[in-house]
Amino acid sequence: DAGITQSPRHKVTETGTPVTLRCHQTENHRYMYWYRQDPGHGLRLIHYSYGVKDTDKGEVSDGYSVSRSKTEDFLLTLESATSSQTSVYFCAISVDRSSNGYTFGSGTRLTVV
Amino acid sequence: RKEVEQDPGPFNVPEGATVAFNCTYSNSASQSFFWYRQDCRKEPKLLMSVYSSGNEDGRFTAQLNRASQYISLLIRDSKLSDSATYLCAVSPNTGNQFYFGTGTSLTVIP
């Protein structure tokens, strides 16, 4: 399997606190993505990266920021967590934009109380 | 209108049955199509690509119908281990992201 890990696997945090989720890959893939998955909505793109320091917004980017200072790491930060951000967060990697599919990490279950 | 829509199911079928799922997409310029499988509380895993000419991988067949803007996944001789949620993914011509359906739940019954 592709080398992609997410941390933490589970987290409970309080409303208003900042939270950072980490995605680490050992595949040297150029593209990295952060999705959230919620019942009834499926997977929705938050932010993606197409190279070191190159990032762009997805369809549900409000309240989130990302950083990619190294090829292998893509960080997702919830600037001030809200209950609506309770979700399962998946990181994904791909070798190119769309010809090949994604490989997903195991996910982070985030609960904001 | 959603970019991608799937019937959520659930589909409950007996072992050995043939089952098919469809996934409709709204952007006629979409270029790339995939099916993923997701087990309960796990990450999605790539099942197969969908090519214009269709493609087959063992018991699984994926097809694209551009005229009606849908893709399909056919599973023959269903196994208990096929029980999962099946997600379709569609990329528009910009190629910057995939849009995922909400998934179709399949349970194969002994």
Side-chain angles (χ1 to χ4, degrees), chain A residues 40-41, chain B residues 1-8 21-27 35 69-72 86-90 99-104:
Chain A
H41 291 280
Chain B
R1 182 181 176 185
K2 287 187 177 181
E3 294 279 343
V4 180
E5 296 200 65
Q6 289 183 257
D7 179 349
F21 313 130
N22 286 341
C23 168
T24 60
Y25 59 94
S26 60
N27 188 335
W35 283 101
Q69 293 182 212
Y70 73 88
I71 61 173
S72 63
Y86 291 85
L87 310 176
C88 60
V90 177
Y99 291 96
F100 286 81
T102 53
T104 298

Side-chain angles (χ1 to χ4, degrees), chain A residues 17-33:
Chain A
T17 61
V19 177
T20 295
L21 309 182
R22 180 179 184 241
C23 179
H24 178 78
Q25 61 144 331
T26 57
E27 300 299 313
N28 201 36
H29 284 347
R30 179 180 175 187
Y31 295 88
M32 299 185 76
Y33 309 83

Side-chain angles (χ1 to χ4, degrees), chain B residues 65-86:
Chain B
N65 185 318
R66 285 197 180 275
S68 299
Q69 293 182 212
Y70 73 88
I71 61 173
S72 63
L73 178 67
L74 180 77
I75 306 175
R76 291 180 297 278
D77 189 22
S78 298
K79 312 291 186 190
L80 296 177
S81 58
D82 294 334
S83 297
T85 296
Y86 291 85

Side-chain angles (χ1 to χ4, degrees), chain A residues 3-112:
Chain A
I4 174 172
T5 55
Q6 292 184 232
S7 60
R9 293 295 309 276
H10 299 87
K11 186 170 181 67
V12 179
T13 192
E14 293 187 348
T15 299
T17 61
V19 177
T20 295
L21 309 182
R22 180 179 184 241
C23 179
H24 178 78
Q25 61 144 331
T26 57
E27 300 299 313
N28 201 36
H29 284 347
R30 179 180 175 187
Y31 295 88
M32 299 185 76
Y33 309 83
W34 277 108
Y35 280 85
R36 60 178 288 175
Q37 188 174 36
D38 304 287
H41 291 280
L43 287 158
R44 291 179 292 173
L45 182 66
I46 304 171
H47 282 277
Y48 66 97
S49 170
Y50 46 96
V52 173
K53 299 192 188 307
D54 291 324
T55 65
D56 207 348
K57 296 179 179 180
E59 61 181 305
V60 290
S61 59
D62 287 348
Y64 301 94
S65 62
V66 290
S67 66
R68 192 168 178 200
S69 58
K70 298 184 291 185
T71 298
E72 57 266 35
D73 290 324
F74 192 31
L75 304 181
L76 176 71
T77 297
L78 287 66
E79 292 141 9
S80 177
T82 67
S83 58
S84 65
Q85 293 175 313
T86 292
S87 186
V88 180
Y89 292 85
F90 287 104
C91 176
I93 60 175
S94 67
V95 66
D96 59 23
R97 288 199 307 183
S98 61
S99 299
N100 295 280
Y102 295 169
T103 300
F104 284 88
S106 300
T108 295
R109 292 187 173 275
L110 177 68
T111 302
V112 183

